[in-house]
């Protein structure tokens, strides 16, 4: 794990957002064991074979999670964006469906060779 990403998550001031960022990071690592992490554009980016797999970002009242390479996937309600990447905004009280999202990230990242 990249220390800059750890520092980013630890610096999130709103406790529920920090916990959610850590949970999303764990989802990505479970789905893509060989994932590479880095901070780019001031937010955590997760790469497989040098290609974007996922991004986490925070805003005033939400945590956004973007999955790349999604044009062939059927995503649950709440994900929006162009065919090649979909983003969901989670607000306080909402949680990631861990097992379903691990499967989504695994499927999406399978084409990143």
């Amino acid at each position: 794990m990249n220390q800059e990403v750890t520092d980013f998550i630890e610096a999130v001031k709103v406790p529920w957002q920090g916990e959610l960022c850590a949970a999303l990071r764990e989802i990505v690592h479970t789905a893509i064991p060989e994932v590479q992490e880095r901070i780019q554009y001031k937010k955590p980016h997760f790469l497989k074979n040098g290609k974007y797999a996922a991004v986490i970002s925070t805003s005033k009242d939400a945590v956004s999670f973007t999955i790349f390479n999604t044009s062939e996937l059927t995503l649950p309600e709440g994900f929006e964006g162009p065919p090649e990447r979909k983003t969901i905004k989670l607000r306080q009280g909402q949680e990631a469906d861990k097992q379903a999202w691990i499967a989504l990230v695994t499927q999406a990242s399978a084409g990143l060779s």
Side-chain angles (χ1 to χ4, degrees):
M1 292 198 187
N2 182 305
Q3 186 60 45
E4 287 182 319
V5 174
T6 300
D7 293 345
F8 173 93
I9 293 170
E10 289 176 353
V12 173
K13 290 180 175 42
V14 181
W16 73 265
Q17 287 182 327
E19 291 167 13
L20 187 53
C21 287
L24 292 169
R25 183 187 199 188
E26 183 181 321
I27 285 169
V28 174
H29 275 270
T30 301
I32 312 169
E34 71 278 16
V35 75
Q36 300 158 315
E37 300 181 323
R38 70 176 175 213
I39 295 292
Q40 189 173 356
Y41 309 114
K42 299 182 182 180
K43 50 192 154 188
H45 284 66
F46 302 89
L47 297 93
K48 179 180 175 185
N49 298 322
K51 297 176 182 166
Y52 293 124
V55 176
I56 298 170
S57 63
T58 59
S59 62
K60 186 171 73 172
D61 66 344
V63 174
S64 294
F65 184 58
T66 302
I67 302 173
F68 290 83
N69 199 36
T70 55
S71 57
E72 302 296 318
L73 299 183
T74 301
L75 292 146
E77 189 174 320
F79 280 90
E80 299 176 345
E84 68 276 4
R85 68 179 179 276
K86 298 290 185 185
T87 301
I88 190 165
K89 284 188 177 186
L90 299 168
R91 292 184 166 66
Q92 189 169 8
Q94 292 180 298
E95 293 183 12
D97 183 339
K98 187 175 180 179
Q99 293 308 315
W101 290 17
I102 288 169
L104 288 172
V105 174
T106 300
Q107 285 180 302
S109 67
L112 299 176
S113 53

